[in-house]
Amino acid sequence: MTVLNTRQAAALEAVFTNVLRPAGLDAAGDGIHSVNLHADASGPALAWWYDDEPLSANGVLDGQGHGLVWLRRTETVSGPHAV
């Protein structure tokens, strides 16, 4: 379990509302309670990632809830091009 402060939780929920859901992620609307969300607060900032297909998201948030988010396309590769 990772503990978020109030500003980080609000900022991350805003990322779900304004970025991830419009992009097609978190269709169930679970937000920060999603089983696909992972977070690591062991460093100076909260690092988080949301794993799904065909998109995933990553980001970092400082203690004030400021940070970056980026989306990346992920696809399962099979057949002769699988690595």
Side-chain angles (χ1 to χ4, degrees):
M1 179 170 81
T2 298
V3 177
L4 295 106
N5 69 34
T6 303
R7 290 181 179 177
Q8 289 170 329
L12 193 51
E13 191 58 48
V15 167
F16 272 93
T17 300
N18 299 315
V19 178
L20 302 186
R21 288 188 195 117
L25 292 171
D26 192 39
D30 294 329
I32 63 173
H33 303 286
S34 173
V35 296
N36 291 348
L37 177 66
H38 310 280
D40 179 6
S42 63
L46 174 75
W48 63 269
W49 57 101
Y50 184 92
D51 292 324
D52 204 351
E53 285 191 14
L55 292 172
S56 287
N58 299 72
V60 293
L61 294 170
D62 67 11
Q64 298 298 311
H66 302 132
L68 299 170
V69 59
W70 56 96
L71 298 174
R72 57 188 161 83
R73 182 161 302 282
T74 59
E75 295 180 46
T76 302
V77 179
S78 62
H81 303 292
V83 180

